[in-house]
Amino acid sequence: MIKRSPSLHLLAVVALVILCTRQLIFAPLAHLLAAPDLEQYFVWIHLYIKRELLAGRLPLWNPHIYAGTPLAANPQATLFYPPAWLYLLMPVPAAERLLILLHVALAGAFMYLWLRRVCQSRVAAMIGAMPFALGGYMMANAAVGHLTMLFTAAWLPLAMYCVDRACDGPPRWNWRWIAAAGATLGVQVLAGEPQNSYYTAVGVAVYALGRSSSSLAHVGRSFLALVVIALAAGGVAAVQLLPTAELAMQSDRSANTAEYATAMSLHPPSLIGFLVPWSIGVRAIGVVFDGSPQPFEINTNWEFAAYLGILPLLLAGIGLVLARGPASRGVRAVLLVAIVLALGGVTPVYALLLKIVPGLNLFRIPARALLLIAFSLSTLSAFGLDWLLASAGDRPNWRRRGWRLAITNISLVALLLLAIFERHTLLYLVESGPEQMQWQSPATSPLRMPQILLGACLLLAIASAWMNRRVFVTAMCAIVVIDLLLATPQFTLKPFAPRRDDDVALMSRLNASIAKDNFRIDLPPQIKANAAMFAGAQNVNGYWPLSIGRFYRYVHAMRGVPPQGGDRHELAAALYDTANPFPLPVLSVARAGRYAQSEIAIAENPAPLPRAWIVADAKRVADEDEALARMKSASFD
């Protein structure tokens, strides 16, 4: 008999990652993943940082957008994240594609490492690692270019692994693993997505305390270990944490409303994302009764991509009910907390958490806690398969009548419900927002593939009584692999030549006419604002997650437009609807544009103020509101 190396299971996970992301590997170097966050945001940041670093300058400040804003303090710039420096060695579009592949592979490898610690079976570890690395959360964020979401998500399993080892063992502290846990969490902070790092910190704390025994000493030791780990992580990531914390306190998000903080909570209808794979271009699944659209839609935005595969979901149910031990206790606790976080404004609990949990109100989109849910369910699926592959006496568990009966009944009920739902309703795929209700022609039902896979699971459960271990495991692996391959979204690629970009050309022309006097331009969001970083122009608008609060309030107050409550990554289009494009005197704007009749109309300010002047007289006012009112007055000098 040939003895298989334990690394073969890990290699199988990495091979499946490469197969699912092959489009990113074989594209030409200059081809960019056609995703909004890459085309408008990350590619310009990385081009700018690359230029500055190769010129020997550390880009702490970005003078090109938002009339000047911190760059290094924006964690999504990943200035201090070593893997991101790959773009210094190759064309930026190719580096970004390779970084996506690298972090999806790391997610699978770290998940396998974690599961090998808490599972008995290597096959179970492999099956659990696949849906985490290639499920809806990771693949949707990869397809839409959310680089920092991927970067940070990849480190979650390794953080859990290190924390588990740090909190385990004899009463004495395991300093080696405490240091490793702190370093991992610190690197995750440098990877650039604060919300994911925040959720990871919550997840590892809940896991460490949830896995502790009833012994007060054990709980206390775990708590103290977590405190030391947090201090170590803060030390590793201090270069990013300190400026980011200062920017956050000075930003427009420092006083978020509950409405903003609960935007895009995971509403119950969106739970269909656990059954329906996410796909590019589809924003909602509309349910149509009696041939006419009803005002009921299920949001399938990428933020709600929860698909892990049908069989892993069933295995997670087995693991949730039957798995035993400290790790299963901790993972169940993480799953419960993650569900509460993801539901956000759907439950009154979140409103209480916003008041008592420090820092939670800085974030929006509670549905992003799906990262913890994906991790927990993937782990539980490995626990479920671990239980099936174990034996009760001389009889393997997969041949026991109880689990087969349970899976058979669940599959039959789910198949029946899906069939009835599909038979008596019409599902349409809609690419526009729910408010437009622009329905396309009926598409192939997204429930068809789940039904086929449920049928396969049903047949497997029935036939398992006559299968030996090897056939049973092979059948399960085949179902999971085929499921994840079919669910993988398409990666659309396009040639990228920044010097020939229309928006870069426009900004370069405007900048050439005013650069000698060091004035700014102000262009509406229909122009890729961050292209100013490549064109060398200085733009009032930008595409940036954190704006300095006083700047943000000033721009809105001068134009008489209330700040928008939802997306704040760029200035609102409504700010540019005015016929007078120059209500921002102290920002030294010489050229401004507005979107009129599908074209950008550029106007010239006949008397722009210089960038600096001598103040002959100053007056003190009561507060910022009064200052803004005085500055908006026609008599203001």
Side-chain angles (χ1 to χ4, degrees), residues 47-295:
L47 284 169
Y48 177 69
I49 293 176
K50 180 176 183 176
R51 183 181 70 195
E52 294 296 292
L53 290 178
L54 292 181
R57 296 185 293 267
L58 184 63
L60 302 178
W61 183 259
N62 176 7
H64 297 287
I65 63 171
Y66 280 170
T69 194
L71 186 141
N74 174 8
Q76 291 182 341
T78 57
L79 180 61
F80 306 112
Y81 182 55
W85 301 340
L86 188 64
Y87 53 70
L88 297 175
L89 307 176
M90 61 175 62
V92 169
E96 290 174 338
R97 299 198 321 263
L98 189 55
L99 284 169
I100 291 174
L101 170 64
L102 171 65
H103 284 85
V104 174
L106 283 177
F110 290 155
M111 192 68 181
Y112 179 81
L113 177 68
W114 151 254
L115 292 174
R116 281 297 294 126
R117 172 162 175 80
V118 295
C119 291
Q120 298 295 319
S121 166
R122 294 177 187 141
V123 173
M126 179 182 69
I127 292 294
M130 287 177 176
F132 179 76
L134 297 166
Y137 181 90
M138 296 292 287
M139 287 294 96
N141 280 294
V144 300
H146 287 177
L147 295 185
T148 52
M149 299 286 284
L150 286 175
F151 294 176
T152 47
W155 295 96
L156 169 59
L158 183 61
M160 285 287 190
Y161 174 83
C162 293
V163 168
D164 186 79
R165 299 203 67 163
C167 297
D168 199 12
R172 62 183 178 84
W173 283 20
N174 195 329
W175 291 106
R176 183 178 62 175
W177 288 107
I178 286 177
T184 302
L185 290 170
V187 169
Q188 190 196 44
V189 171
L190 298 179
E193 194 60 47
Q195 191 166 0
N196 275 4
S197 298
Y198 189 94
Y199 285 155
T200 298
V202 171
V204 297
V206 169
Y207 173 77
L209 297 176
R211 72 179 293 283
S212 300
S213 67
S214 56
S215 166
L216 188 61
H218 194 182
V219 174
R221 189 174 77 248
S222 296
F223 179 79
L224 289 175
L226 287 172
V227 171
V228 177
I229 288 169
L231 293 174
V236 171
V239 68
Q240 185 67 71
L241 274 177
L242 296 177
T244 298
E246 183 180 3
L247 176 59
M249 289 187 291
Q250 298 294 332
S251 77
D252 64 294
R253 295 194 186 195
S254 60
N256 276 346
T257 63
E259 178 186 7
Y260 182 82
T262 57
M264 297 183 75
S265 298
L266 184 65
H267 290 270
S270 296
L271 294 176
I272 198 173
F274 286 99
L275 290 178
V276 180
W278 178 85
S279 60
I280 294 175
V282 177
R283 295 294 176 267
I285 300 173
V287 181
V288 181
F289 296 93
D290 301 325
S292 61
Q294 301 296 311

Side-chain angles (χ1 to χ4, degrees), residues 472-497:
F472 179 69
V473 167
T474 302
M476 292 195 112
C477 291
I479 292 174
V480 172
V481 169
I482 292 171
D483 191 350
L484 292 175
L485 280 172
L486 292 176
T488 301
Q490 292 294 311
F491 294 99
T492 306
L493 297 148
K494 61 188 294 187
F496 178 71

